[in-house]
């Protein structure tokens, strides 16, 4: 139907007012349709923003954006390309031929790579009116023309900081340049796409920060745990094996303390470079933090790749490194556990590897140890001992026994040494060497020392009040406690509370405390100022510092049992003992020989001028009432 033939005669018959009214109606209807289009456009625009906020995949949003602007401009086809490095990657193009999308996917950008390749290269809008004749399309127009594409306008997609992220392209099937409305749409479409691309870029960066260790480039602790959880599930389903290797650099703290953390970080990066080739034989290599690394290793039912890789790690890490002009050789300790032999879940297999690592450290470091179930049994026992020891100290369940020191010439008891013993209903008799080491490691040595010192001093005062006035009390002091700021105040407090005469107290310290450092010398001087006697215990088994002996004012030198054990059969031991006695006397010390178990040893020590002997020959460590019997007999 030809409407003009009907409307035109009607218009001629209309009055001026009627004509004006019709014109107003037409304009109003146009505005109403245009308003509805804008409202629909804004609604879809808002939906796209909501999709971005909800984290909908970029490809789905790209298609939604393309369809939105294609609906606004009939005959238009839209394309979005992401820029990865110098390469264009297809993002979304809902109405473009798949063949064309595949062709442009992977194109390198440049000054003559179509519209989008050029705009991402220059960072500026590129308008190509005719693809067939434009020189920027000469090398790729064969991909566009067969699909009816004749013009292409491209707007670079930029981040909020101005970085080019990709390109938004608009295509028509006839040569054309954009009008004002199309130009505005090109700009707004690129801006909308930029929100998507920047969101994904930020998410990728956040993921990289979370899953990558920035210092070494290895996987982060967070990604390590995710990967391990995935591997455990896959291994359960497929009945596979894998190994977990924990690596800890030995004494790395010395690097940071000596050269600073900046040098320490560069040193870790150097270590990481050496370990990088090992990644090819593993699922994953990760820096867990500090100087700790972990490798997840592929294993079969019969292979032991973990042990071979551990050896490679030991060799690579031990290569000489130059630090601030000095050569340095690093060692490491390694613990290995296998799934499923050493754990069927993440927690257990990690615990097994960690237990093996600490066993390697305890065994002397610079080695690898594969987990054994006995390690866990020992660790659980150790933990149990720690908890029970804490209770024993708090409840004063530690027994104090005493062993006499006898003057060889007179057979008179001149000193009584206080010693700890611990019997527990579940554990039985626990060795002092064992529980004292635990006390030192856990910080319980302080309350233990206070308890032993106070109990022994009270007992010594009781003996003195009973008439045994010439007896000295000896108490061992841990090297871990000797330099504590509260140590001297503790001694002063116990002496005051027990009314113990400082001249009757002898404190025994091992050779590890005897150093020429001013802090050590100051403690010795303060103790001597109180009137307390000082003894060097287990002399000869540590790193004997003769320079320290020169500077420190001590009273007693105790020769370790190690030299006394074979003194009857080994001439070297005899010479060493005799030399130590002579040296001690020349320095003004009197000498105690520890571990004297028979009369022959005592008789041999006499002509060497040894002053005092201590050992089973005279008495085992025993309770106070038995010591009183010995004192009465000697009295």
């Amino acid at each position: 139907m030809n409407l003009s033939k009907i409307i035109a005669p009607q218009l001629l018959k209309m009055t001026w007012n009627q004509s004006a009214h019709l014109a107003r109606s037409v304009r109003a209807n146009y505005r109403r349709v245009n308003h509805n289009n804008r409202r629909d456009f804004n609604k879809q625009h808002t939906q796209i923003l909501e999709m971005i906020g909800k984290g909908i995949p970029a490809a789905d949003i790209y298609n939604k954006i393309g369809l939105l602007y294609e609906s606004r401009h009939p005959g238009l086809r839209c394309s979005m390309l992401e820029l990865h490095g110098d390469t264009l990657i297809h993002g979304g193009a809902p109405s473009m031929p798949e063949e064309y999308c595949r062709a442009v996917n992977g194109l390198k950008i440049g000054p003559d790579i179509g519209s989008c390749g050029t705009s991402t290269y220059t960072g500026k809008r590129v308008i190509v009116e005719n693809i067939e004749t434009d020189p920027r399309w000469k090398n790729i127009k064969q991909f566009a023309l067969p699909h009816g594409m004749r013009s292409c306008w491209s707007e670079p997609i930029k981040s909020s900081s101005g970085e080019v992220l990709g390109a938004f392209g608009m295509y028509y099937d006839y040569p054309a340049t954009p009008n004002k409305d199309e130009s505005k749409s090109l700009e707004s479409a690129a801006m909308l796409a930029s929100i998507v691309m920047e969101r994904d870029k930020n998410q990728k960066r956040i993921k990289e920060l979370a899953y990558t260790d920035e210092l070494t480039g290895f996987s982060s602790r967070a990604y390590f745990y995710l990967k391990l959880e995935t591997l455990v599930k896959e291994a359960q389903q497929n009945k596979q094996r894998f190994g977990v290797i924990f690596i800890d650099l030995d004494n790395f703290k010395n690097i940071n303390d000596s050269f600073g953390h900046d040098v320490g970080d560069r040193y870790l990066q150097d270590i990481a470079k050496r370990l990088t080739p090992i990644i090819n034989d593993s699922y994953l290599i990760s820096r867990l933090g500090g100087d700790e690394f972990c490798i997840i290793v592929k294993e079969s039912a019969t292979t032991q790749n973990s042990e071979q890789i551990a050896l490679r790690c030991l060799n690579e890490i031990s290569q000489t490194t130059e630090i601030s002009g000095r050569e340095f050789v690093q060692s490491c300790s390694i613990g290995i556990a296998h799934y499923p032999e050493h754990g069927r879940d993440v927690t257990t297999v990690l615990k097994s590897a960690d237990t093996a690592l600490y066993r390697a450290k305890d065994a002397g470091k610079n080695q690898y140890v594969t987990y054994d179930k006995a390690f866990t049994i020992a660790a659980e026992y150790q933990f149990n001992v720690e908890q029970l020891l804490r209770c024993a100290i708090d409840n004063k369940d530690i027994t104090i026994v005493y062993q006499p020191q006898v003057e060889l010439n007179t057979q008179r008891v001149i000193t009584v040494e206080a010693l700890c013993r611990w019997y527990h209903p579940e554990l039985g008799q626990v060795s002092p060497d064992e529980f004292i080491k635990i006390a030192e490691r856990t910080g319980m040595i302080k309350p233990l020392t206070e308890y032993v010192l106070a109990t022994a001093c009270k007992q010594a005062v009781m003996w003195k009040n009973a008439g045994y006035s010439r007896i000295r009390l000896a108490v061992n002091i841990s090297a871990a406690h000797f330099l504590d700021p509260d140590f001297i105040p503790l001694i002063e407090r116990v002496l005051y509370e027990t009314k113990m005469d400082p001249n009757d107290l002898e404190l025994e310290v091992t050779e590890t405390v005897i150093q020429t450092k001013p802090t050590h010398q100051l403690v010795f001087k303060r103790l001597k100022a109180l009137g307390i006697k000082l003894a060097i215990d287990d002399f000869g088994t540590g790193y004997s510092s003769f320079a320290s002996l020169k500077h420190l004012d001590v009273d007693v030198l105790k020769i370790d049992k190690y030299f006394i054990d074979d003194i009857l059969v080994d001439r070297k031991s005899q010479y060493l003992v005799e030399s130590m006695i002579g040296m001690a006397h020349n320095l003004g010390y009197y000498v105690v020989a520890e571990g004297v178990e028979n009369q022959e040893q005592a008789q041999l020590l006499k002509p060497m001028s040894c002053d005092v002997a201590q050992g089973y020959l005279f008495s085992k460590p025993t309770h106070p009432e038995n010591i009183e019997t010995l004192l009465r007999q000697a009295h």
Side-chain angles (χ1 to χ4, degrees):
M1 182 183 296
N2 192 336
L3 293 179
S4 60
K5 291 181 179 180
I6 298 175
I7 295 172
Q10 296 297 325
L11 289 173
L12 293 174
K13 296 177 184 179
M14 284 183 182
T15 65
W16 171 256
N17 289 335
Q18 289 175 325
S19 299
H21 176 73
L22 179 61
R24 284 195 298 271
S25 298
V26 171
R27 286 196 298 271
N29 186 59
Y30 175 79
R31 285 195 299 270
R32 185 167 56 253
V33 171
N34 195 40
H35 174 73
N36 289 338
N37 287 338
R38 285 200 304 271
R39 186 173 59 183
D40 184 60
F41 179 86
N42 290 336
K43 182 180 179 181
Q44 292 185 58
H45 193 279
T46 301
Q47 289 175 349
I48 290 172
L49 292 175
E50 289 175 352
M51 292 173 70
I52 296 172
K54 290 178 180 179
I56 303 298
D60 295 340
I61 304 176
Y62 290 150
N63 286 337
K64 189 79 172 177
I65 294 172
L67 292 172
L68 173 63
Y69 285 93
E70 288 173 358
S71 67
R72 187 168 188 174
H73 304 284
L76 178 70
R77 288 185 284 186
C78 297
S79 170
M80 279 140 284
L81 295 169
E82 295 178 348
L83 182 60
H84 292 218
D86 63 349
T87 304
L88 292 173
I89 302 298
H90 172 69
S95 304
M96 301 287 284
E98 289 187 12
E99 186 179 347
Y100 176 74
C101 293
R102 287 195 299 269
V104 297
N105 186 55
L107 281 177
K108 302 292 183 181
I109 64 174
D112 56 355
I113 307 296
S115 302
C116 292
T118 304
S119 69
T120 49
Y121 181 79
T122 62
K124 298 178 181 179
R125 174 182 289 192
V126 172
I127 302 298
V128 172
E129 181 179 3
N130 192 330
I131 290 176
E132 188 171 12
T133 59
D134 195 290
R136 287 167 291 196
W137 275 85
K138 64 179 180 180
N139 295 321
I140 59 172
K141 63 183 179 181
Q142 69 273 20
F143 302 128
L145 295 177
H147 301 289
M149 289 176 271
R150 292 295 181 268
S151 60
C152 178
W153 320 321
S154 179
E155 182 80 10
I157 299 172
K158 296 182 179 181
S159 69
S160 55
S161 62
E163 178 188 1
V164 176
L165 304 176
F168 191 96
M170 289 183 168
Y171 297 81
Y172 274 116
D173 56 2
Y174 53 84
T177 57
N179 58 31
K180 184 177 180 180
D181 191 37
E182 290 167 334
S183 180
K184 186 176 180 181
S185 291
L186 181 60
E187 182 179 354
S188 63
M191 188 175 295
L192 190 58
S194 74
I195 300 174
V196 185
M197 291 187 184
E198 189 160 19
R199 179 203 70 174
D200 282 13
K201 183 183 179 184
N202 290 337
Q203 288 178 343
K204 182 181 179 182
R205 178 57 179 160
I206 292 170
K207 189 174 181 180
E208 286 176 352
L209 290 172
Y211 291 166
T212 304
D213 175 59
E214 284 196 292
L215 185 66
T216 62
F218 290 164
S219 298
S220 68
R221 187 186 192 93
Y223 185 73
F224 166 76
Y225 280 101
L226 287 175
K227 181 65 173 179
L228 191 58
E229 287 176 357
T230 302
L231 278 175
V232 167
K233 292 177 183 177
E234 293 175 353
Q236 287 173 343
Q237 294 173 355
N238 303 322
K239 296 182 179 180
Q240 295 175 331
R241 292 177 75 239
F242 63 84
V244 175
I245 300 176
F246 272 4
I247 304 171
D248 186 86
L249 302 184
D250 297 331
N251 305 313
F252 176 73
K253 183 177 181 294
N254 294 339
I255 300 291
N256 281 336
D257 291 346
S258 301
F259 302 101
H261 287 274
D262 288 344
V263 173
D265 286 348
R266 292 197 299 272
Y267 182 67
L268 287 173
Q269 289 172 333
D270 184 64
I271 295 291
K273 287 179 183 177
R274 301 183 207 173
L275 295 178
T276 298
I278 298 173
I279 297 175
N280 297 329
D281 298 319
S282 62
Y283 287 114
L284 179 75
I285 184 166
S286 172
R287 178 175 174 241
L288 301 185
D291 60 336
E292 297 177 338
F293 299 87
C294 188
I295 304 175
I296 304 178
V297 182
K298 303 172 186 177
E299 294 281 13
S300 68
T302 57
T303 61
Q304 295 295 332
N305 290 335
S306 298
E307 282 76 4
Q308 296 173 10
I309 288 178
L311 276 174
R312 288 177 60 188
C313 291
L314 286 170
N315 292 332
E316 290 296 334
I317 290 174
S318 65
Q319 300 298 316
T320 302
T321 302
E322 186 175 295
I323 303 177
S324 296
R326 294 169 54 186
E327 289 190 347
F328 188 84
V329 177
Q330 179 68 55
S331 65
C332 67
S333 299
I334 299 176
I336 302 173
H338 292 100
Y339 175 91
E341 301 100 297
H342 305 142
R344 293 182 173 272
D345 56 63
V346 170
T347 301
T348 307
V349 76
L350 288 180
K351 182 182 176 182
S352 297
D354 193 50
T355 301
L357 170 65
Y358 278 96
R359 180 55 65 101
K361 284 189 171 296
D362 290 342
K365 304 179 180 179
N366 194 29
Q367 59 187 290
Y368 75 83
V369 170
T370 301
Y371 175 78
D372 188 286
K373 188 176 180 180
F375 298 167
T376 295
I377 295 173
E380 289 174 350
Y381 171 79
Q382 192 89 342
F383 178 78
N384 193 29
V385 171
E386 288 180 13
Q387 303 309 307
L388 295 174
L389 177 60
R390 193 178 298 276
C391 293
I393 293 173
D394 291 341
N395 299 330
K396 297 180 172 54
D397 292 333
I398 303 294
T399 301
I400 310 301
V401 294
Y402 302 87
Q403 188 175 35
Q405 296 176 6
V406 178
E407 197 169 47
L408 286 174
N409 288 332
T410 65
Q411 296 298 297
R412 183 172 61 88
V413 177
I414 63 167
T415 304
V416 177
E417 181 177 359
L419 300 164
C420 297
R421 294 295 181 266
W422 180 31
Y423 176 82
H424 190 273
E426 294 178 17
L427 303 174
Q429 195 72 44
V430 184
S431 165
D433 289 342
E434 181 179 359
F435 72 76
I436 288 175
K437 285 180 181 177
I438 292 174
E440 289 176 335
R441 189 179 69 249
T442 58
M444 290 187 283
I445 194 64
K446 294 181 183 181
L448 178 60
T449 300
E450 182 172 2
Y451 167 66
V452 173
L453 193 62
T455 303
C457 284
K458 288 176 185 177
Q459 182 61 62
V461 171
M462 289 172 61
W463 283 330
K464 186 173 184 178
N465 292 338
Y468 309 113
S469 59
R470 301 179 63 186
I471 299 301
R472 184 186 297 162
L473 173 69
V475 179
N476 285 283
I477 300 299
S478 166
H481 193 193
F482 188 76
L483 293 177
D484 190 278
D486 295 330
F487 176 62
I488 298 294
L490 167 65
I491 299 296
E492 293 173 331
R493 184 173 70 253
V494 171
L495 290 174
Y496 174 78
E497 291 174 352
T498 62
K499 297 180 174 56
M500 177 77 173
D501 185 344
N503 294 292
D504 294 334
L505 179 61
E506 178 184 297
L507 299 181
E508 297 183 359
V509 295
T510 60
E511 290 182 75
T512 54
V513 178
I514 307 172
Q515 299 179 28
T516 57
K517 294 181 180 179
T519 50
H520 295 72
Q521 296 181 43
L522 181 60
V523 175
F524 273 82
K525 287 180 181 178
R526 292 180 67 184
L527 290 172
K528 292 296 290 182
L530 292 172
I532 295 170
K533 302 293 186 293
L534 296 170
I536 302 171
D537 196 17
D538 302 330
F539 187 80
T541 57
Y543 295 96
S544 305
S545 174
F546 293 102
S548 297
L549 291 176
K550 173 185 174 183
H551 290 283
L552 296 177
D553 185 11
V554 297
D555 303 281
V556 183
L557 196 69
K558 298 186 72 176
I559 299 174
D560 190 79
K561 182 180 182 294
Y562 171 81
F563 298 97
I564 307 302
D565 284 342
D566 57 358
I567 193 173
L568 297 175
V569 296
D570 184 14
R571 291 292 297 171
K572 288 184 178 179
S573 292
Q574 293 179 22
Y575 291 140
L576 286 170
V577 171
E578 193 168 15
S579 298
M580 283 189 276
I581 293 172
M583 177 195 67
H585 285 163
N586 290 332
L587 291 171
Y589 312 148
Y590 76 86
V591 179
V592 178
E594 298 181 285
V596 178
E597 297 184 354
N598 55 65
Q599 194 64 47
E600 290 80 5
Q601 291 173 330
Q603 290 300 321
L604 185 58
L605 287 167
K606 276 186 181 181
M608 294 182 183
S609 300
C610 183
D611 303 296
V612 177
Q614 178 180 351
Y616 285 4
L617 172 63
F618 309 102
S619 173
K620 292 182 179 180
T622 187
H623 297 288
E625 55 269 24
N626 296 328
I627 293 294
E628 287 186 34
T629 301
L630 289 174
L631 293 176
R632 282 196 299 270
Q633 292 172 353
H635 208 69

